[in-house]
Amino acid sequence: MLFAVSLLKDRNGVIDVNLPISGSLDDPQFSVGGIVIRIIVNLIVKAVTAPFALIANLVGASGAELSWVGFEPGSPDPGPAALEKLQSIARALTDRPGLKLDLAGRADPAADREALRRLAMQRAVKAQKLKETVGGGEDVAAIDKVRIDPQEYPKYLERAWRAATFDKPRNAIGLVKSQPVAEMEGMMLAHIEASDAELIALANERAQHVKDWLVESGKVPGERMFIVTPKLGAGDAGAPASTSAAAAPEAAPAGAAPAAAETGKPAAAAPLSRVDLSLK
C-alpha cells in the first residue's frame, strides 16, 4: 500500500487521479461511492502490478517500455533511444519523490561476448599505431582515442596479428606468411576470449552509467537508486550463461510494465544487452 501511495503521490503530496464515472441515477443499483471505491482499488492494483505503465502515462510517455534501458552489444554507454527513455524516467522520479529505483545490469552472452572480442581486436590494432606514433601502446584510454583510416588498417592489423602469440602459417623456410585481412581477423578473433567475468563487469558498468546519467543529467538524488546483482542472458550472474537465441522468455522484472494484452499495443522486445529497472 505504501508503494502504491508513493507511486500516486506527486512532489507536492497530492494524489490527482482522473476517475470517469458513468451510470443512471435512476438505477437503484447505481452507487457513486461503490464505483469510486472499485476504481480506486483497481488503480492501486495497477500501481503495484504495473507501476511503469502508470508512470509512463503520468510523464506523457504512454506506450513506452520504461522498465528497461537497452544498449548496443559491447557498449556500456546509453545511445540516443536509451537517453530519451532515461529522460522520461528522470521526470517520473522527480515528480514521485517517494519512489526508489533498483538497477540490474544485464549482458548478452552471445552478442556482448562477440562484441567484446572484436573490441579487443580493435584495441590490439590501435595499439600498434599508438606505438608507432607516440612510442607506447598499453594505456587503454589512449588506445581508444586512436583513429585508424581504412587505407592504413591492413598495415596495423598485420602488425597486431604478427605480435599475437598463436601459431601462424609459415612458408617453406619457416617465415610467417602474410594473409588476407579477413584471414588475419578470423585468426585473431579465434584466439581472443571474453570471459563471464568481463560480461558481468560490462553489465555492472551499464547500470553505473544509467545511475550516473540520472544523477548528473536527470537530477535524481543518488541515494534513491541502488545497483543490484547483474545478470547474464535470461538468468542471474551466477547461473549458466545462455545465448540470446536459446534464451527462454523471461518474466518481467518487479515493477515492469504490463504485457501487450493489457496495453493493447505490441510489447517492445527487450534486448539482453540492457539494464533492468525496478521501482520500490
Side-chain angles (χ1 to χ4, degrees):
M1 177 64 83
L2 291 178
F3 171 66
V5 172
S6 296
L7 192 65
L8 296 171
K9 186 168 60 176
D10 67 18
R11 74 183 81 178
N12 299 314
V14 175
I15 297 178
D16 184 6
V17 180
N18 181 22
L19 298 176
I21 299 175
S22 63
S24 173
L25 295 176
D26 296 328
D27 185 348
Q29 301 299 319
F30 180 77
S31 168
V32 173
I35 292 176
V36 170
I37 290 174
R38 286 200 301 274
I39 292 176
I40 291 176
V41 169
N42 289 339
L43 188 62
I44 292 175
V45 170
K46 183 174 182 180
V48 173
T49 60
F52 279 105
L54 190 59
I55 66 169
N57 290 327
L58 294 174
V59 299
S62 180
E65 174 58 86
L66 299 184
S67 64
W68 54 264
V69 178
F71 289 78
E72 289 297 318
S75 175
D77 301 314
L83 291 176
E84 183 178 352
K85 186 178 290 190
L86 287 175
Q87 290 171 0
S88 296
I89 294 169
R91 289 198 303 271
L93 291 175
T94 299
D95 198 53
R96 296 295 186 268
L99 293 175
K100 295 181 180 180
L101 189 68
D102 282 347
L103 305 94
R106 187 184 293 271
D108 184 334
D112 281 321
R113 198 184 305 275
E114 176 64 16
L116 289 179
R117 291 168 62 230
R118 289 194 171 275
L119 177 61
M121 182 182 71
Q122 292 168 6
R123 283 175 173 165
V125 174
K126 290 180 178 182
Q128 294 300 317
K129 182 173 182 178
L130 190 63
K131 287 179 180 179
E132 180 181 87
T133 54
V134 298
E138 301 298 328
D139 186 349
V140 172
I143 290 173
D144 286 340
K145 294 178 181 177
V146 173
R147 296 291 178 264
I148 296 182
D149 295 329
Q151 62 270 21
E152 61 184 1
Y153 176 75
K155 177 179 73 173
Y156 294 115
L157 172 64
E158 182 166 4
R159 291 184 183 180
W161 174 74
R162 288 179 177 273
T165 57
F166 53 81
D167 292 336
K168 304 170 185 69
R170 296 180 180 272
N171 58 23
I173 60 174
L175 299 177
V176 174
K177 293 171 58 178
S178 294
Q179 300 291 312
V181 166
E183 292 293 329
M184 290 188 289
E185 288 178 335
M187 281 186 275
M188 290 191 69
L189 288 172
H191 290 85
I192 294 174
E193 294 184 358
S195 66
D196 283 358
E198 291 175 274
L199 292 175
I200 291 171
L202 174 63
N204 271 327
E205 192 174 4
R206 285 169 171 162
Q208 187 63 56
H209 283 198
V210 168
K211 180 178 179 178
D212 290 344
W213 190 95
L214 288 171
V215 170
E216 296 166 9
S217 299
K219 307 304 179 185
V220 179
E223 58 268 22
R224 292 175 58 194
M225 293 176 286
F226 308 89
I227 295 176
V228 298
T229 304
K231 301 176 182 179
L232 295 184
D236 296 333
S242 58
T243 64
S244 51
E250 180 192 10
E262 290 185 47
T263 62
K265 298 181 180 180
L272 290 181
S273 303
R274 70 179 190 257
V275 172
D276 291 325
L277 307 176
S278 297
L279 290 168
K280 61 183 185 179

